[in-house]
């Protein structure tokens, strides 16, 4: 009977991950709309516009990206926790370790390789966030206050027809992601050698 609530929660979380970025972003813009959004009404903020301010718009996009990314991290870490041998946890418990001590001294070190890989993979994915910023801030916000590199490259290359500047920004992004990917591959190789 315990498996049913776990399955329902897992399916609900995976629904957020499976939602297309444009659809999820549009729903979030509606939820935080100053006129019709239920969040402003619930919090009593009146006609506060979340997408108008620089920091509130970035915070809103951050929340939406975390909402979409969380299920992948959750499923991966959950699989790592399930892979920890129950004998190890039972031995720590029999030795008198508290739940906090079991987590800190047994589970966290065993999950460290998974957490490192998931963190670096999330950095790579989140570095490429385009749709959420573009949809939620109407192309980069007022006077470009919410531009990130890929939205800026898009604006320069396609909106302003400055293809050379857009492609230069793309090359810089490629080099940054290549550096992060090399760190990721090195950690994967080290993890393979430890196993």
């Amino acid at each position: 009977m315990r498996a049913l609530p776990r399955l329902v929660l897992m399916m609900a979380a995976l629904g957020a991950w499976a939602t297309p970025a444009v659809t999820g972003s549009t729903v979030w813009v509606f939820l935080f709309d100053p006129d019709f959004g239920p969040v402003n009404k619930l919090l009593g903020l009146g006609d506060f516009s979340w997408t108008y301010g620089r920091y509130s718009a970035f915070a809103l996009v951050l929340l939406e990206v975390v909402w979409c990314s969380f299920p992948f991290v959750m499923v991966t870490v959950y699989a790592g926790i399930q892979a920890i041998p129950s004998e190890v946890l039972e031995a720590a418990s029999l030795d008198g370790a508290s739940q906090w001590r079991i987590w800190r001294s047994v589970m966290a070190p065993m999950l460290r390789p998974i957490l490192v890989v998931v963190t670096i993979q999330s950095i790579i994915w989140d570095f490429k966030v385009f749709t959420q910023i573009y949809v939620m801030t109407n192309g980069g916000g007022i006077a470009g206050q919410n531009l990130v590199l890929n939205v800026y490259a898009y604006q320069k290359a396609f909106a302003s027809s400055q293809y050379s500047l857009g492609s230069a920004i793309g090359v810089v992004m490629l080099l940054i992601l290549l550096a992060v990917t090399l760190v990721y591959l090195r950690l994967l190789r080290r993890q393979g050698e430890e196993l």
Side-chain angles (χ1 to χ4, degrees), residues 9-22:
L9 287 174
M10 188 78 69
M11 296 306 290
L14 289 177
W17 192 38
T19 302
V22 173

Side-chain angles (χ1 to χ4, degrees), residues 148-165:
V148 292
L149 280 177
N150 46 11
V151 176
Y152 185 62
Y154 173 81
Q155 284 186 347
K156 290 300 173 190
F158 298 108
S160 301
S161 296
Q162 295 177 344
Y163 300 111
S164 59
L165 183 55

